[in-house]
């Protein structure tokens, strides 16, 4: 298979070696670590000598490791009489004497230890740490592997002596993917290339495996790749899963039922403690598990994400190795997510398990929060997977589909689903009806704008005033707030800004403690109503409040969507 030259990565490695005494090049299996380091070594600056040692399990013994290092230094022309200047490799003082010898170098010597993760837990690790601690500036060390094998690199990082090139740096860019496919004589359209990059997360071996499927067929299209395809499954099985203890493999299987997981959710799914520590370890060891950044809808760290291709394979193996467990675990995950307010994730999990009753209950309980543009767009494919009978029989599903129609501009679909929701509403339990009716009426009003007659707003206002006396709980106030906001929009459309400003004031009162996005929209509409009414000072005050409440990193228009 041809090798892709990537100057971006080569230059990054060179700059990191030049600026730091120790460079760690880490990433998952098949990330291109060895190729990238070899490409740099082939173009090393004039006057720089490069000694290369490819480590394996035999190098876990100190004497064997230092014998190979000594041979690599000699092959690199590091100095005459090198062997006579050092003790035997089996001598415990060898790494310190090597550091002393390197202190007399007059030019830069780079020692590359490839696959350093092979030394994890080995006796050789302690002696290698001595060389790292005492090595002089002219001796540059490059440690390449999936992880630093428990070497104390944190100390080097704090001291500014460690440079790092990680999996994200090694991931292919769109230009590099284009270059790779051109090298193979494949013309991959940008849309398909972007899909491949999304599925592989830029993983070089993933792109290679995708291209292998069209070997001998130059005109074939390199298309979507899945982790349960034989070649991909074999690679992941051999290079990622085979080296793990059986307990860790089962942990990955059971926690693969969700797109994101955290320690507490993992413990719930496995019935064991210690999930957070194991997830952190798997991510640190580059087992195609990475931190996801933050909790969905929040900023709490501790969430992890599996590589898409690994997730495919794990889910397929879960079905084969633990038949029937996938649906049970997914239902358990849905309830854990719902209990923690992760409604969108709970609905997706329940839908995957075909647990439609629970999915409908979560959707009804979440109410208006699922109408925001982000969650709404995320849930639309999930809603489409519901049985058709639910479209008419479940008021929450019909209402969410109506909201999706309004969001995408499909007013015909919105009208159909609003009619279905209206019929299903009368068959709903009283508690659910009281919670859903206000925001469902708000959707009906928004669907009718701008051709609304006075009759519908009048009916909606009567409902809103009645609900004022009975509404309780965050969901109820949010739905009522949306109804008042929709009334205000309708009244503006009917050229009645004086009444609209009162409706928006009521909306803001109910939305004050709910979703910030709804409160911002209501404040913007209220400002518009005040301006149309002629009170520019009140409008300006409201806009100042909106500006102050906007997150610093957003340019979104609160009136959009």
């Amino acid at each position: 298979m041809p090798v892709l030259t990537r100057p971006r990565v080569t230059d990054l490695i060179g700059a990191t070696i030049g600026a730091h005494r120790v460079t760690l090049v880490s990433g998952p299996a098949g990330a291109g670590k060895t190729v990238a380091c070899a490409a740099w070594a082939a173009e090393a600056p004039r006057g720089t000598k490069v000694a290369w040692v490819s480590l394996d399990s035999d190098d876990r013994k100190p004497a064997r490791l230092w014998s190979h290092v000594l041979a690599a230094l000699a092959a690199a022309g590091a100095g005459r009489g090198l062997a006579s200047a050092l003790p035997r490799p089996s001598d415990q003082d060898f790494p310190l004497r090597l550091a002393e010898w390197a202190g007399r170098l007059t030019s830069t010597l780079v020692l590359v230890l490839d696959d350093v993760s092979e030394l994890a837990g080995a006796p050789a690790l302690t002696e290698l740490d001595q060389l790292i601690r005492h090595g002089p500036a002219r001796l540059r060390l490059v440690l390449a592997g999936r992880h630093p094998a428990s070497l104390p690199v944190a100390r080097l990082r704090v001291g500014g002596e460690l440079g790092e090139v990680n999996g994200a740096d090694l991931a292919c860019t769109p230009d590099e993917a284009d270059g790779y496919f051109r090298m193979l004589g494949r013309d991959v359209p940008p849309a398909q290339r972007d899909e491949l990059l999304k599925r592989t997360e830029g993983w070089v071996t993933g792109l290679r495996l995708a291209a292998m499927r069209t070997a001998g067929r130059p005109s074939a299209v390199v298309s979507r790749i899945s982790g349960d395809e034989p070649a991909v499954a074999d690679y992941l099985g051999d290079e990622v899963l085979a080296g793990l203890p059986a307990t860790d493999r089962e942990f990955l299987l059971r926690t693969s039922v969700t797109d994101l997981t955290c320690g507490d959710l993992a413990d719930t799914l496995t019935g064991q403690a210690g999930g957070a520590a194991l997830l952190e370890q798997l991510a640190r060891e580059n087992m195609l598990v990475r931190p996801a950044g933050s909790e969905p809808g929040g900023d709490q760290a501790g969430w992890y994400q599996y590589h898409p291709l690994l997730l495919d394979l794990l889910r397929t193996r879960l079905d084969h190795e633990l038949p029937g467990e996938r649906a049970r675990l997914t239902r358990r995950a849905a309830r854990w997510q719902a209990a923690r307010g992760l409604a969108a994730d709970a609905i997706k999990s329940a839908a995957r398990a075909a647990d439609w009753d629970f999915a409908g209950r979560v959707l009804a309980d979440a109410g208006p929060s699922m109408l925001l543009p982000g969650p709404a767009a995320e849930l639309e494919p999930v809603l489409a997977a519901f049985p058709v009978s639910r479209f008419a029989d479940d008021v929450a599903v019909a209402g969410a589909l109506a909201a999706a129609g309004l969001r995408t501009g499909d007013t015909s679909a919105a009208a159909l689903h609003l009619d279905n929701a209206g019929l299903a509403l009368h068959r709903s339990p009283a508690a659910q009806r009281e919670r859903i009716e206000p925001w469902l009426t708000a959707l009906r009003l928004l669907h009718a704008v701008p051709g609304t007659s006075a009759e519908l707003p009048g009916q909606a206002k009567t409902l809103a005033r009645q609900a004022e006396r009975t509404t309780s709980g965050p969901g109820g106030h949010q739905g009522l707030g949306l109804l008042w906001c929709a009334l205000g929009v309708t009244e503006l459309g009917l050229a009645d800004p004086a009444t609209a400003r009162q409706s928006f004031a009521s909306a803001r009162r109910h939305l004050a403690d709910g979703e910030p996005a709804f409160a911002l929209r209501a404040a913007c509409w209220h400002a518009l109503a005040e301006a149309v009414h002629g009170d520019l000072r009140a409008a300006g005050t409201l806009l100042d409040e909106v500006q102050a409440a906007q997150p610093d990193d957003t340019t979104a228009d609160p009136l959009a969507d």
Side-chain angles (χ1 to χ4, degrees):
M1 183 69 70
V3 175
L4 174 67
T5 301
R6 297 196 286 165
R8 174 188 64 85
V9 179
T10 304
D11 292 346
L12 177 60
I13 291 175
T16 306
I17 292 172
H20 301 88
R21 190 168 63 84
V22 180
T23 294
L24 175 62
V25 181
S26 62
K33 303 177 292 294
T34 300
V35 170
C37 290
W40 172 83
E43 301 175 0
R46 184 183 298 274
T48 298
K49 293 182 173 61
V50 181
W52 185 291
V53 181
S54 295
L55 300 171
D56 58 33
S57 57
D58 288 339
D59 294 302
R60 296 172 63 83
K61 301 174 183 177
R64 186 66 177 262
L65 168 65
W66 298 123
S67 294
H68 286 158
V69 168
L70 194 60
L73 292 173
R80 295 180 181 178
L82 175 63
S84 61
L86 295 172
R88 295 195 311 176
S90 58
D91 193 313
Q92 290 185 346
D93 289 339
F94 185 90
L96 294 178
R97 296 286 296 277
L98 178 60
E100 291 174 3
W101 169 85
R104 299 191 291 271
L105 290 169
T106 57
S107 60
T108 300
L109 170 63
V110 179
L111 173 59
V112 180
L113 300 177
D114 191 28
D115 278 338
V116 70
S117 45
E118 288 281 352
L119 303 183
L125 212 57
T126 300
E127 294 193 11
L128 176 58
D129 182 45
Q130 291 181 359
L131 178 62
I132 293 173
R133 283 174 178 267
H134 300 287
R138 289 194 184 276
L139 176 62
R140 299 296 166 115
L141 297 173
V142 177
L143 311 175
R146 299 185 192 182
H147 53 84
S150 299
L151 285 165
V153 294
R155 180 190 67 247
L156 297 169
R157 187 181 293 122
V158 172
E161 295 185 284
L162 180 71
E164 298 181 74
V165 178
N166 58 33
D169 299 317
L170 295 169
C172 273
T173 65
D175 287 343
E176 289 167 351
D178 287 340
Y180 179 66
F181 290 126
R182 278 196 304 270
M183 183 176 67
L184 298 179
R186 302 288 192 273
D187 182 18
V188 180
Q192 292 176 338
R193 175 209 63 202
D194 291 346
E195 172 65 17
L196 283 170
L197 285 175
K198 180 180 178 182
R199 291 284 299 156
T200 61
E201 294 185 347
W203 183 41
V204 174
T205 295
L207 297 178
R208 184 174 297 138
L209 290 166
M212 283 173 55
R213 296 177 302 174
T214 62
R217 296 180 291 136
S219 60
V221 175
V222 180
S223 57
R224 191 179 189 275
I225 185 171
S226 175
D228 53 7
E229 295 175 21
V232 185
D234 287 346
Y235 184 90
L236 292 174
D238 292 345
E239 297 296 328
V240 179
L241 299 181
L244 292 174
T247 53
D248 291 2
R249 290 198 298 273
E250 184 170 338
F251 174 91
L252 287 171
L253 290 178
R254 291 183 178 277
T255 55
S256 68
V257 296
T258 57
D259 295 332
L260 297 173
T261 192
C262 67
D264 188 43
L265 174 56
D267 292 347
T268 298
L269 293 172
T270 62
Q272 303 289 331
L278 183 52
L279 285 167
E280 193 274 334
Q281 176 188 328
L282 292 169
R284 188 176 63 250
E285 294 180 354
N286 281 300
M287 302 305 294
L288 292 177
V289 176
R290 62 176 177 82
S294 63
E295 180 179 353
D299 57 4
Q300 180 182 342
W303 287 83
Y304 291 83
Q305 186 170 359
Y306 299 167
H307 191 285
L309 299 183
L310 177 62
L311 202 58
D312 291 341
L313 176 61
L314 291 172
R315 288 171 175 173
T316 298
R317 286 197 173 187
L318 176 61
D319 290 338
H320 290 162
E321 297 179 20
L322 301 170
E325 279 292 277
R326 185 170 174 180
R328 186 180 69 84
L329 291 170
T330 306
R331 286 194 295 270
R332 185 183 297 177
R335 282 149 180 79
W336 184 95
Q337 291 161 334
R340 285 153 183 81
L342 304 176
D345 297 287
I347 294 166
K348 284 193 290 185
S349 293
R352 284 176 181 156
D355 192 351
W356 307 114
D357 287 340
F358 187 72
R361 288 201 301 274
V362 175
L363 187 59
D365 290 341
S369 64
M370 293 295 98
L371 307 183
L372 286 166
E378 184 181 359
L379 278 180
E380 281 167 23
V382 182
L383 292 171
F386 273 65
V388 176
S389 61
R390 294 273 172 174
F391 292 2
D393 294 341
D394 191 312
V395 61
V397 174
L401 289 168
L406 289 177
R407 193 184 70 83
T408 59
D410 189 345
T411 55
S412 297
L416 173 63
H417 293 304
L418 281 170
D419 288 343
N420 286 336
L423 293 173
L425 183 67
H426 297 296
R427 300 191 296 269
S428 302
Q432 187 182 67
R433 185 164 61 246
E434 289 179 3
R435 192 167 59 250
I436 291 178
E437 189 171 13
W439 64 262
L440 194 60
T441 305
L443 292 177
R444 193 177 298 280
L445 275 171
L446 293 175
H447 176 259
V449 172
T452 308
S453 66
E455 182 179 356
L456 181 55
Q459 295 170 349
K461 184 161 289 189
T462 299
L463 171 64
R465 287 171 176 162
Q466 291 173 345
E468 290 274 5
R469 297 190 293 269
T470 59
T471 294
S472 62
H477 282 287
Q478 199 158 240
L480 184 53
L482 287 185
L483 176 53
W484 278 117
C485 196
L487 273 165
V489 172
T490 305
E491 288 156 352
L492 273 181
L494 294 171
D496 188 1
T499 306
R501 58 205 283 263
Q502 297 172 4
S503 294
F504 289 128
S506 295
R508 293 177 58 224
R509 178 163 50 84
H510 287 284
L511 296 173
D513 297 324
E515 288 284 350
F518 287 139
L520 283 175
R521 282 168 172 79
C524 283
W525 281 111
H526 192 180
L528 179 60
E530 294 289 1
V532 173
H533 186 62
D535 192 340
L536 297 181
R537 177 176 295 182
T541 300
L542 285 163
L543 290 176
D544 288 342
E545 292 177 8
V546 169
Q547 188 64 37
Q550 281 273 63
D552 293 337
D553 59 349
T554 183
T555 56
D557 177 5
L559 288 176
D561 303 305

